[in-house]
């Protein structure tokens, strides 16, 4: 998308390494008529460090004033202005304010385009070696231990990698809750990505208490999917076996077919047939 086409631009900025600012991002920040920044003082320092000389107005935009800023943004877009949204670091909207603004602009018929770039969850995931697909991103976890436990419980049997932010002071207790709730999994702690003291620590989640990480700096946490496919419940796997036997499949083939879809081993399934041979006779009606 050429920068000459006025709209709301969602502009990614570096996580800490100045070399990660894209030329397109720099160009848009120089030319936008309105720049929305989470922290205008930090944005000013950022512009200085990157040699950016914004032509437009700089305006604060954070979680608690997002709603009241929206009408002014819509008015700016109506007059054909380019509006750039940035956050303190990384990609706006992802664990940062901006979702309500983007949605309202779209609903009001104004185009919205990304100027993509650094994003901590994606940077951590792509260098972790943990399964990238599917992954689920939670932003910051809730503070309370009970709420964390409830959140992890919801995801226990789902085969997805979990990605979230956590404050260093709460990391040890959060990992203990995760380990207890989620069971054996891989863990990656990605700290200070793109900066001088970058560290990616990969280990078993159950070893969390032995992990030595520097408690300072920015941290993204990744927990891999369950190490074993969840098994189909006992009644359901019996039903699968019964239906296959009823359809006339020889026992060996029925067992192999049920093993493929259920997470049960052929040996376990065969043992069930041997225990009640009459129930599983080929062709027998259920
Ligand atoms: N929107 C941002 C993005 O795209 O990365 C994330 C914003 S969120 C408010 C800030 C959190 O991102 C930090 O508390 C930390 O968990 C994570 N983070 C930011 N920079 C990081 C870095 N260099 N290394 C690891 N995690 C980082």
């Amino acid at each position: 998308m050429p920068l000459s086409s006025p709209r709301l631009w969602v502009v990614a900025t570096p996580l800490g390494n100045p070399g990660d600012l894209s030329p397109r991002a720099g160009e848009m920040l120089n030319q936008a008529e309105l720049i929305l920044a989470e922290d205008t003082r930090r944005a000013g320092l950022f512009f200085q460090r990157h040699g950016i000389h914004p032509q437009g107005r700089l305006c604060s935009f954070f979680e608690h004033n997002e709603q009241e800023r929206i009408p002014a943004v819509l008015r700016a877009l109506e007059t054909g202005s380019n509006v750039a949204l940035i956050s303190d670091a990384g990609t706006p909207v992802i664990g940062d304010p901006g979702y309500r603004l983007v949605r309202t602009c779209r609903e009001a018929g104004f185009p919205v385009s990304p100027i993509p770039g650094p994003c901590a969850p994606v940077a951590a995931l792509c260098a972790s070696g943990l399964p990238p697909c599917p992954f689920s991103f939670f932003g910051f976890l809730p503070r309370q231990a009970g709420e964390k436990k409830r959140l992890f419980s919801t995801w226990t049997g789902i085969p997805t990698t979990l990605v979230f932010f956590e404050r260093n002071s709460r990391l040890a207790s959060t990992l203990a809750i995760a380990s207890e709730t989620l069971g054996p999994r891989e863990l990656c702690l990605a700290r200070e990505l793109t900066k001088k003291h970058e560290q990616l620590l990969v280990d078993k989640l159950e070893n969390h208490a032995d992990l030595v990480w520097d408690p300072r700096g920015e941290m993204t946490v990744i927990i891999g999917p369950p190490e074993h496919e969840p098994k189909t419940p006992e009644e359901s796997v019996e039903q699968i076996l019964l239906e296959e036997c009823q359809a006339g499949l020889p026992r060996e083939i029925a067992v192999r077919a049920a093993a493929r879809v259920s997470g049960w081993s052929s040996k376990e399934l065969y043992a069930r047939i041997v225990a009640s041979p009459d129930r599983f006779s080929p062709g027998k009606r259920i």
Side-chain angles (χ1 to χ4, degrees):
M1 177 53 58
L3 299 184
S4 53
S5 184
R7 61 195 53 228
L8 172 66
W9 300 90
V10 182
V11 183
T13 58
L15 296 172
N17 191 320
D20 291 340
L21 184 74
S22 76
R24 230 156 72 89
E27 211 179 311
M28 176 45 65
L29 293 173
N30 272 323
Q31 75 179 51
E33 280 84 6
L34 176 62
I35 300 176
L36 306 169
E38 224 184 329
D39 179 334
T40 50
R41 196 188 61 85
R42 281 181 74 152
L45 292 171
F46 166 80
F47 295 150
Q48 262 178 25
R49 209 171 309 131
H50 288 80
I52 291 168
H53 305 287
Q55 307 295 307
R57 197 158 59 87
L58 180 61
C59 188
S60 73
F61 184 88
F62 46 85
E63 194 187 339
H64 298 293
N65 75 357
E66 178 167 359
Q67 200 62 45
E68 78 194 55
R69 284 282 190 256
I70 290 177
V73 176
L74 295 178
R75 280 197 299 277
L77 291 168
E78 257 161 27
T79 62
S81 294
N82 272 310
V83 180
L85 171 67
I86 57 172
S87 57
D88 285 347
T91 301
V93 181
I94 305 301
D96 271 327
Y99 163 69
R100 281 180 288 173
L101 173 67
V102 169
R103 200 171 168 93
T104 311
C105 288
R106 288 210 158 276
E107 283 169 358
F110 293 110
V112 181
S113 284
I115 300 192
C119 183
V122 174
L125 188 61
C126 73
S128 68
L130 269 61
C133 200
F135 81 89
S136 303
F137 171 62
F138 301 96
F140 284 101
L141 290 190
R143 276 168 181 242
Q144 302 301 326
E147 285 179 49
K148 276 180 201 164
K149 202 171 171 141
R150 261 194 299 285
L151 177 73
F152 288 137
S153 305
T154 315
W155 293 83
T156 307
I158 300 175
T160 178
T161 292
L162 311 175
V163 184
F164 56 88
F165 301 142
E166 185 55 296
R167 308 248 178 255
N168 293 341
S169 56
R170 292 200 279 262
L171 188 60
S173 62
T174 298
L175 294 181
I177 296 171
S179 176
E180 188 194 314
T181 318
L182 296 167
R185 300 206 179 197
E186 280 185 295
L187 166 71
C188 172
L189 300 178
R191 195 181 74 83
E192 292 287 273
L193 292 170
T194 76
K195 305 185 206 173
K196 187 172 170 198
H197 298 292
E198 176 179 286
Q199 188 183 22
L200 279 121
L201 215 153
V202 181
D203 204 330
K204 299 268 178 210
L205 176 58
E206 57 265 38
N207 295 344
H208 63 91
D210 303 328
L211 297 184
V212 180
W213 73 88
D214 189 328
R216 292 165 300 174
E218 306 273 14
M219 175 81 78
T220 297
V221 184
I222 308 180
I223 296 179
E227 291 194 347
H228 306 291
E229 284 285 306
K231 273 185 170 182
T232 303
E234 199 171 328
E235 318 78 67
S236 312
V237 82
E238 284 211 349
Q239 187 62 28
I240 296 172
L241 263 185
L242 280 169
E243 281 170 13
E244 282 163 355
C245 291
Q246 184 198 4
L249 286 183
R251 283 175 180 171
E252 302 71 45
I253 295 179
V255 159
R256 259 184 271 142
R260 256 198 311 277
V261 296
S262 66
W264 289 64
S265 69
S266 299
K267 199 170 156 198
E268 288 171 311
L269 294 174
Y270 209 77
R272 302 201 88 77
I273 292 188
V274 171
S276 356
D278 288 348
R279 271 184 88 203
F280 295 101
S281 299
K284 184 176 162 87
R285 308 301 303 170
I286 299 171

